[in-house]
Amino acid sequence: MARLFYQDIKNWSLRNHFDVVTYIPASKSHLQARGFDPVYELYADIFDLQSLLIKVDADKPQAQKNRNERLRTPQTFSALPALNQIQKEARILILDDIYTTGRTLMHAHDIFLTAGFQKISTFSLSR
């Protein structure tokens, strides 16, 4: 899928500038089950990705939840120490693959907001 959308995402990236680009990481169990991080793989050839978040396993995967369950999902992210090395004025881009309810990106956004960042944008391949 990364190759299919490469040129469109690359073109978008050339028109939009960010100081720091990070992504929604897979949880440990999701990573072990798949053997790769789908969001990282989708964008790694286009952006200089920084790993700034860690995701703990939720009660069940997002794909198995209905809309109401997704919206009630508690915060599953925490910041990695590398986040403290970034200047608070930096323009941050958080990447994800699929935007369904927006809850995942809102939780990630909250981590950066709480850390003192104000210029936070998100990008998802599909909705």
Side-chain angles (χ1 to χ4, degrees):
M1 188 152 75
R3 283 185 254 176
L4 179 64
F5 292 102
Y6 175 87
Q7 197 57 56
D8 289 329
I9 298 168
K10 181 68 173 177
N11 290 342
W12 183 89
S13 75
L14 294 172
R15 292 189 311 270
N16 297 275
H17 177 73
F18 299 92
D19 302 309
V20 175
V21 181
T22 191
Y23 60 98
I24 299 297
S27 66
K28 187 176 181 178
S29 67
H30 193 191
L31 188 58
Q32 288 175 339
R34 285 202 167 170
F36 68 98
D37 187 320
V39 178
Y40 177 85
E41 294 299 331
L42 181 60
Y43 298 108
D45 289 339
I46 299 169
F47 297 96
D48 180 21
L49 298 175
Q50 294 187 38
S51 180
L52 299 173
L53 300 170
I54 188 165
K55 184 176 185 179
V56 297
D57 287 321
D59 54 347
K60 62 182 176 179
Q62 288 288 87
Q64 295 177 7
K65 295 180 181 181
N66 64 37
R67 178 175 173 72
N68 287 333
E69 289 173 321
R70 287 174 186 234
L71 291 171
R72 288 192 312 263
T73 301
Q75 177 62 274
T76 56
F77 295 106
S78 58
L80 291 171
L83 185 65
N84 297 324
Q85 305 304 314
I86 299 171
Q87 294 182 356
K88 302 303 179 203
E89 301 80 30
R91 289 169 292 192
I92 308 290
L93 175 63
I94 308 168
L95 301 170
D96 200 2
D97 53 355
I98 300 169
Y99 182 108
T100 305
T101 62
R103 191 57 150 170
T104 302
L105 285 170
M106 285 189 286
H107 280 316
H109 180 274
D110 288 347
I111 295 294
F112 288 91
L113 200 58
T114 300
F117 295 94
Q118 295 181 9
K119 300 173 187 173
I120 309 162
S121 299
T122 64
F123 179 91
S124 296
L125 179 61
S126 68
R127 176 173 174 156

